[in-house]
Amino acid sequence: MPAKRPAIGFIFITLLLDVTGWGIIIPVMPNLVRELLGGSVNNLSSVSAAATYGGWLIAAYAITQFFCAPIVGGLSDRYGRRPVLLGSLLGFGIDFLFQGFAPTIGWLFVGRVIAGVMGASFSTAGAYIADISTPEKKAQNFGMIGAAFGLGFIVGPVLGGLLGGFGSRVPFFAAAGLAFLNFLYGYFILPESLKQENRRTFTWARANPIGTFKSLFRFKVVLGLFVSLALVYVSAHAVQSNWSYYTIEKFQWTPRLIGISLGVVGIVFAVVQGGLIRIIIPKLGQQRSVYFGLALYALGFLLYAFATEGWMMYAFTVVYCLGGIAGPALQGIMSGILPPNEQGELQGGFTSMMSAASIVGPPVMNGLFAYFTGPEAPVYFPGAAMLLGAVLTLISAVWARSSLKRNMKPVEVK
């Protein structure tokens, strides 16, 4: 295709459509799982059974992506971001069709595995942004990924709830349509961002989580910051995996109130990631933004844990979401350390780490919540998981500060 000037707007719209497609299926996934269980397993159409299978579906995606993300990252470093991103979008469309037409629960797992194999949109988008950003703009531009995520999870669930009135499978077909539309948009609009001179040879030795981490961790600063970011991702599940249970248990919120609250979280998160981050990080600098963001994260967890009224959850969301400046700042620092021909590998490493956090975080945080709200608890404390999130975030801040004291000169391309 003719050479075009790469633009953040292209990748933002691509991700926004992608996340909106994910968000559309959230309201109806439990009903579809219950329908399939009721048709294939006797008397297992209860919400608890659906929730159990829903957790396994998430795990199937996370485990598959943990192993496949480094491969996809390596391919994007070899062949460019554009073909990999387009393949990812095509894979998502096929995944949604699998789920929409699924006659048994097994088909849902097949679809989740396909999505895990092809699910490279965010990691490849991160590499794309690294390619086209100047060093001083990388952290701010990484925030656009978070902004797309926030906006997509405002629009998507609302559309899914409306479409779900026509049947539990309709939103899946709408999501597939969005994915294929996104593919066409990328095919005709999105230019390649990785120059030929910045590409590297694909090797299987580095195209796996162990090989990727070994390659990235030859820079001690990257190793330290990866540990710090991993702690943040695990701690985040104190909110992400527990929000509904916590607010029902402590404030007796209805599904409607939970949906509204998540919409508010999405709005605040999008404002921070898409707007405020471009003001805060240049003023504070990347390293101070890391410390400031992690401190706000920890404070947000503590405020959530000890909230006594429902309205406080809305107010404390501002503090918690402002902590979101830490992630892009950490990513910006690590991206600046690595050479241009390893940005895809870095983003693949991020995706594998997030997948690992999605395997470890939910059972730990949900288990802690269940224990401290159950009959065997030594003390009743629904906010136990959020308190653990605050502790892990503070450890992350100390770890990051120690790592950032090291010399961080950009390396030469070899």
Side-chain angles (χ1 to χ4, degrees), residues 305-377:
F306 293 99
T308 57
E309 300 289 341
W311 65 265
M312 294 180 179
M313 300 298 286
Y314 291 94
F316 298 158
T317 290
V318 176
V319 178
Y320 177 78
C321 288
L322 279 172
I325 68 173
L330 282 168
Q331 282 186 269
I333 292 171
M334 284 186 273
S335 179
I337 294 171
L338 295 175
N341 63 351
E342 295 185 24
Q343 296 298 320
E345 185 175 43
L346 174 64
Q347 299 303 323
F350 285 146
T351 302
S352 287
M353 179 178 59
M354 291 177 67
S355 298
S358 296
I359 297 169
V360 175
V364 170
M365 297 304 181
N366 285 23
L368 197 61
F369 170 84
Y371 178 72
F372 279 96
T373 56
E376 303 296 326

Side-chain angles (χ1 to χ4, degrees), residues 77-387:
D77 280 339
R78 172 64 182 89
Y79 298 105
R81 318 303 184 199
R82 186 172 180 272
V84 172
L85 187 57
L86 292 178
S88 170
L89 298 175
L90 197 59
F92 276 135
I94 295 172
D95 164 43
F96 290 133
L97 287 179
F98 256 90
Q99 295 180 87
F101 286 112
T104 66
I105 194 72
W107 279 58
L108 292 186
F109 281 95
V110 173
R112 292 290 75 200
V113 170
I114 292 173
V117 173
M118 302 297 292
S121 57
F122 277 87
S123 60
T124 308
Y128 190 104
I129 289 173
D131 293 337
I132 66 176
S133 301
T134 58
E136 63 273 12
K137 291 289 185 180
K138 279 186 178 180
Q140 298 97 299
N141 289 340
F142 280 134
M144 295 301 293
I145 297 178
F149 188 90
L151 288 174
F153 270 86
I154 296 169
V155 177
V158 173
L159 289 175
L162 294 173
L163 293 172
F166 299 98
S168 60
R169 296 176 185 266
V170 173
F172 289 89
F173 299 130
L178 268 181
F180 292 133
L181 178 65
N182 205 354
F183 170 82
L184 292 175
Y185 171 81
Y187 183 82
F188 290 108
I189 301 297
L190 193 68
E192 179 56 63
S193 63
L194 186 63
K195 299 177 181 178
Q196 287 290 340
E197 62 268 24
N198 290 334
R199 302 189 183 192
R200 66 176 177 86
T201 303
F202 177 85
T203 60
W204 284 105
R206 293 170 64 170
N208 61 80
I210 303 303
T212 293
F213 293 148
K214 183 178 179 181
S215 175
L216 295 175
F217 293 168
R218 71 185 188 275
F219 306 107
K220 293 183 178 179
V221 177
V222 173
L223 170 59
L225 296 184
F226 245 80
V227 172
S228 178
L229 200 55
L231 289 171
V232 171
Y233 285 147
V234 172
S235 66
H237 283 283
V239 171
Q240 295 174 10
S241 300
N242 267 310
W243 184 272
S244 298
Y245 304 105
Y246 179 75
T247 54
I248 291 173
E249 174 72 22
K250 197 163 187 179
F251 307 116
Q252 294 75 54
W253 279 7
T254 63
R256 177 176 176 272
L257 287 175
I258 293 172
I260 292 173
S261 69
L262 290 175
V264 171
V265 171
I267 292 171
V268 177
F269 189 73
V271 169
V272 172
Q273 297 289 314
L276 293 181
I277 205 169
R278 295 178 173 274
I279 300 173
I280 296 173
I281 290 182
K283 286 187 177 296
L284 294 180
Q286 290 185 347
Q287 292 192 28
R288 289 183 179 177
S289 294
V290 170
Y291 307 143
F292 184 62
L294 292 177
L296 287 175
Y297 257 147
L299 179 59
F301 281 125
L302 287 174
L303 292 173
Y304 280 153
F306 293 99
T308 57
E309 300 289 341
W311 65 265
M312 294 180 179
M313 300 298 286
Y314 291 94
F316 298 158
T317 290
V318 176
V319 178
Y320 177 78
C321 288
L322 279 172
I325 68 173
L330 282 168
Q331 282 186 269
I333 292 171
M334 284 186 273
S335 179
I337 294 171
L338 295 175
N341 63 351
E342 295 185 24
Q343 296 298 320
E345 185 175 43
L346 174 64
Q347 299 303 323
F350 285 146
T351 302
S352 287
M353 179 178 59
M354 291 177 67
S355 298
S358 296
I359 297 169
V360 175
V364 170
M365 297 304 181
N366 285 23
L368 197 61
F369 170 84
Y371 178 72
F372 279 96
T373 56
E376 303 296 326
V379 58
Y380 177 77
F381 184 40
M386 294 172 180
L387 183 60

